[in-house]
Amino acid sequence: MRLDYLALLASLTRIDRRILYLLVALAIVIPLLAASGTRVTPAAESEGFFRAVQRVSEGQTVLLAADYNGATAFELEPMVTTLVQEVFSRGARLVLVCLDPQGIGLVEAKVQMLADAAGKTYGTDWVFLGYRPSAPGVIMSLASAPYTVFPRDHRGTSLRALPLAAGLSGHSDYQLVAVVASGPAAQDWVIYGHARYRAPIVIGLGGGLGPTFQGFLDTHAIAGLIAGLRGAAEYEQLTGRPGEALRALSAQAMAHLLLIALIILGNAAFFAAKWRDRPPV
Amino acid sequence: MIRRLSRPLVIILGSLAIAQFFVPHQASRWVEARLLDWLVLLESAALVAGILALARRHAARISRGEGPERALAAVTLGAMAFMLATGLALGTGPGSAFGAIYLSVLQPIQASMMSLLGFFMASAVFRSFRLTSAPATILLVSALTVLLARVPLGEHLVPRISMFSTWIIRGPNVAATRGLWIGIGLAACATGFRVILGIQGPTGAKRS
Amino acid sequence: MFDPAVLVPALLTLGVFSILYRENLVYRIIEHVGVGLAAGYALAMIIRTGLIPRILSAAADPVALVTMALAIPACVGIAVSSWRRNTLGTVGISVAASIAAGLALPGIVENLILEQMRATMVPIGLSSDAGFDSLVVAIGVLSTMAYFSFTREPRGIRGVAALTGLYTLMISFGASFGYAAMSRFTLLIGRFLFLLRDWLHLVR
């Protein structure tokens, strides 16, 4: 009996979606179980991000805006982890702010853990200003009048009582502004922050927004950009701190291959069905 | 009277806000700090209004709905009240019950919900990403190039694919997004001036 | 594996994933719990870490007190507007929109218009890679803007420009799709890594 390949291919258009879901799950689970490490070639924009952080020296202050929430944490937390480790290892100080009301607990817990591991003291080496609504209001007030919008830190202590925050006056306090954002907050930092902060701005983004921000590299509105898990992995490699992102990259590569296969197979099935159902000549 | 005063108020405050950029004077900084303070306070109130509207909607579903809809609305309201009460009564700091509920319940729900998109995207790609026209073909080729370049195997399958992908991102992609940014900028300026002049926005809409 | 701090998130993850098999009540309950908790979380945070410290600090600073006192009627109006439209709320929203627009305009003009135009106006040519890339970008920017120009029918040279713009946009959207796919899969990897490593201890 001759197998009808065309009919078989065409029948794929009616494949149950749950089979596709199962394939996706397998494409992710198998590489995770295999636990193979991987290396990446860093892109120029990731190197820009790395170099901007490297220029921060002991005693200087970095403003970190961690604007993500629980939904996108896995993609952006590796960036925050590596960045904060780098900042603390260089002896620099950290002012942390959050523009996403759903991300406050996550950001605070993560940085607290990293600060404890690095032996850093709250109030002297780092400060968490917390969350306020209105991204423009927060971005601009931090550059001109920090005490107006943040009279107290996230824990309710007066900013003037904290050694690190007591001398804050505005845009000239920071040697670097680092933004790790999953949504439009990154755009707000470019629009409202670029002209107001003297410090270079570097951005870590959720992958989906990566291409949209490439144009800001040419205009020098931002000094560096890392996008998605791949960007986080590149940054981990550049700093020599392999972490969650490099670990998860092999699973992502497999998922990409599956997606490519699905695109090709979906089109093949579509054209096979079209060919089979064509009107007789 | 308040409504009559609103338009001059909107024009004055909007103009003062623009002027801050051009006047680097101490007095100007003082005015800016007040404007920013108002902005944050008003947006806080807007966020509270949004949450109250959600609560109201679910309260209405409890009183009017039936069966599971009513029970699910009660679940939403109950969860909201529980989280609010925990936060206000026991504090919101790390290590608090509020923080523990956030990390053990809310964060996993948010992360799992968002991750479902990975499954749905694979299914959608299989069923809808078709070579049916020239623009669709270009989109598909561009997507395949970027996807393949991000896989270590990609360079073995198609030599120099990474270079081509980088060119797509830095060339045509930058061109398109730059065109869009300029367009967005021009439209935002036009809308911004309409809002500041009170032609557009909540007070202006009624007038026009 | 049975530690509530890991077991609860694991069961919630599986509950959410149950929607992949079919629509079910467990998923819907988790969905509604998530919405409720998220709203309650945001409200508690605004009150505890935003409003209360603001009120406490205003008590010691006359300027902050007056600024806040002036904003309170509008704030109350906005909050009340969630169930009843009122003049104070409308004025408050208008004022917020006007201040935000005023503060944004210079930044928009500088970063989205002037700087983007300046970055496009660079030497172009065919003799070097950089010159060729600049040429591609310049043509792409102009054609993308031509695609969104609706004042006249796109015929002749306008039609060619608009079509080039459409193709440039498609290349960009394709690249964005590739990155978006990467992003969505990353989040899925995060959940599977949590299940396999933190819950089941199958992965180190």
Side-chain angles (χ1 to χ4, degrees):
Chain A
M1 193 177 72
R2 202 169 73 83
L3 195 60
D4 187 351
Y5 290 108
L6 200 67
L8 189 69
L9 204 55
S11 69
L12 285 178
T13 51
R14 295 189 305 275
I15 195 170
D16 192 313
R17 64 190 158 81
R18 282 169 288 203
I19 295 173
L20 298 175
Y21 297 158
L22 188 66
L23 288 174
V24 172
L26 289 175
I28 288 171
V29 169
I30 292 169
L32 286 180
L33 290 173
S36 60
T38 186
R39 286 190 68 78
V40 286
T41 312
E45 57 265 28
S46 304
E47 285 178 3
F49 190 104
F50 171 71
R51 279 197 301 274
V53 181
Q54 291 296 105
R55 277 194 283 272
V56 175
S57 52
E58 193 173 347
Q60 294 186 325
T61 309
V62 173
L63 173 63
L64 170 60
D67 307 329
Y68 60 88
N69 54 42
T72 49
F74 186 76
E75 192 174 24
L76 298 167
E77 257 190 357
M79 297 178 192
V80 170
T81 303
T82 318
L83 179 70
V84 172
Q85 284 174 340
E86 271 296 291
V87 169
F88 283 152
S89 74
R90 308 189 69 74
R93 303 179 304 175
L94 189 74
V95 173
L96 183 68
V97 67
C98 182
L99 289 180
D100 191 326
Q102 301 295 325
I104 312 160
L106 210 60
V107 171
E108 189 181 19
K110 173 56 80 179
V111 179
Q112 176 75 66
M113 194 187 79
L114 294 167
D116 290 345
K120 299 291 176 181
T121 315
Y122 185 82
T124 313
D125 300 309
W126 74 285
V127 156
F128 183 35
L129 297 180
Y131 162 79
R132 295 288 181 280
S134 175
V138 171
I139 294 166
M140 284 192 275
S141 68
L142 279 175
S144 57
Y147 299 110
T148 310
V149 172
F150 291 100
R152 286 161 191 266
D153 73 344
H154 181 63
R155 297 173 181 184
T157 315
S158 169
L159 277 202
R160 292 181 202 277
L162 296 166
L164 169 56
L168 289 182
S169 60
H171 57 78
S172 55
D173 297 324
Y174 312 107
Q175 275 63 51
L176 179 73
V177 177
V179 181
V180 179
S182 58
Q187 186 184 317
D188 290 332
W189 278 98
V190 172
I191 293 172
Y192 297 99
H194 175 229
R196 287 173 185 262
Y197 289 87
R198 288 186 191 158
I201 298 177
V202 290
I203 295 186
L205 276 178
L209 289 169
T212 320
F213 277 72
Q214 287 285 333
F216 293 125
L217 286 163
D218 298 340
T219 63
H220 305 293
I222 56 176
L225 174 70
I226 48 177
L229 191 73
R230 166 80 181 218
E234 289 174 6
Y235 186 49
E236 282 180 2
Q237 189 166 297
L238 283 164
T239 55
R241 298 176 191 278
E244 200 92 314
L246 272 168
R247 189 187 194 303
L249 215 56
S250 54
Q252 199 191 48
M254 186 64 98
H256 277 193
L257 280 178
L258 175 72
L259 204 63
I260 292 165
L262 287 178
I263 291 173
I264 295 168
L265 210 59
N267 274 285
F270 171 71
F271 285 110
K274 222 172 156 183
W275 177 260
R276 191 195 54 188
D277 301 337
R278 73 192 186 283
V281 182
Chain B
M1 215 255 301
I2 296 170
R3 186 169 278 278
R4 212 177 306 150
L5 281 175
S6 69
R7 197 164 189 178
L9 189 68
V10 161
I11 294 172
I12 291 167
L13 291 176
S15 308
L16 277 174
I18 295 181
Q20 304 317 306
F21 190 80
F22 304 100
V23 188
H25 189 269
Q26 201 58 34
S28 168
R29 295 278 85 88
W30 187 88
V31 172
E32 187 187 60
R34 305 288 81 75
L35 292 176
L36 290 170
D37 201 7
W38 278 331
L39 186 62
V40 172
L41 285 167
L42 292 171
E43 287 203 20
S44 303
L47 204 66
V48 171
I51 295 167
L52 290 178
L54 180 80
R56 213 174 108 77
R57 185 174 162 73
H58 282 280
R61 276 176 71 190
I62 290 173
S63 60
R64 281 186 233 131
E66 48 187 56
E69 286 304 312
R70 181 180 251 182
L72 289 169
V75 166
T76 306
L77 270 188
M80 191 191 295
F82 172 71
M83 199 65 173
L84 181 63
T86 311
L88 294 183
L90 305 173
T92 55
S96 63
F98 184 76
I101 295 166
Y102 171 76
L103 290 175
S104 320
V105 182
L106 181 54
Q107 196 267 333
I109 293 176
Q110 289 179 330
S112 306
M113 290 275 182
M114 197 70 168
S115 70
L116 286 177
L117 293 178
F119 290 112
F120 298 150
M121 181 174 263
S123 175
V125 152
F126 183 76
R127 290 175 201 288
S128 319
F129 221 164
R130 300 278 190 254
L131 289 163
T132 47
S133 64
T137 307
I138 291 172
L139 190 140
L140 200 144
V141 170
S142 170
L144 279 178
T145 306
V146 171
L147 281 170
L148 203 57
R150 298 246 149 188
V151 178
L153 198 66
E155 200 67 30
H156 298 290
L157 293 173
V158 186
R160 297 165 77 97
I161 187 116
S162 301
M163 219 176 74
F164 185 51
S165 167
T166 307
W167 180 80
I168 284 179
I169 299 290
R170 301 229 175 104
N173 167 64
V174 164
T177 49
R178 190 167 287 164
L180 291 174
W181 281 127
I182 294 172
I184 290 167
L186 291 170
C189 283
T191 311
F193 277 115
R194 286 172 65 85
V195 167
I196 291 167
L197 295 173
I199 301 165
Q200 197 169 337
T203 47
K206 272 214 151 183
R207 277 168 210 283
S208 57
Chain C
M1 194 173 172
F2 296 105
D3 173 13
V6 179
L7 185 65
V8 172
L11 293 178
L12 286 169
T13 305
L14 293 178
V16 171
F17 282 179
S18 68
I19 188 73
L20 296 169
Y21 183 67
R22 69 168 177 220
E23 178 82 31
N24 63 78
L25 191 61
V26 172
Y27 172 80
R28 295 208 68 195
I29 290 172
I30 294 174
E31 186 185 31
H32 281 75
V33 167
V35 171
L37 290 182
Y41 182 82
L43 196 54
M45 278 293 185
I46 292 169
I47 294 171
R48 277 247 15 166
T49 69
L51 289 179
I52 293 175
R54 181 70 182 76
I55 292 165
L56 289 176
S57 65
D61 180 357
V63 176
L65 191 66
V66 173
T67 313
M68 200 173 74
L70 285 171
I72 281 175
C75 287
V76 173
I78 290 171
V80 169
S81 65
S82 62
W83 67 89
R84 178 174 293 175
R85 209 184 150 133
N86 63 86
T87 308
L88 273 175
T90 309
V91 173
I93 291 285
S94 297
V95 165
S98 178
I99 294 174
L103 293 170
L105 274 173
I108 287 171
V109 172
E110 187 190 357
N111 291 298
L112 298 191
I113 303 174
L114 296 180
E115 288 295 329
Q116 298 295 334
M117 284 163 67
R118 198 198 308 267
T120 313
M121 289 184 263
V122 291
I124 55 172
L126 296 170
S127 54
S128 68
D129 284 356
F132 177 70
D133 286 354
S134 303
L135 181 66
V136 169
V137 170
I139 293 172
V141 171
L142 291 174
S143 58
T144 301
M145 293 178 75
Y147 178 74
F148 289 104
S149 161
F150 303 116
T151 44
R152 286 192 195 170
E153 204 178 336
R155 277 194 189 154
I157 188 77
R158 273 195 208 90
V160 174
L163 197 64
T164 313
L166 174 66
Y167 290 159
T168 312
L169 281 167
M170 286 302 138
I171 297 175
S172 176
F173 292 160
S176 287
F177 171 80
Y179 272 74
M182 183 172 84
S183 175
R184 300 299 166 250
F185 281 132
T186 301
L187 304 178
L188 198 49
I189 292 166
R191 286 335 285 162
F192 276 115
L193 197 58
F194 168 75
L195 291 175
L196 295 174
R197 184 181 57 190
D198 301 352
W199 186 43
L200 298 174
H201 304 293
L202 292 174
V203 177
R204 270 195 299 122

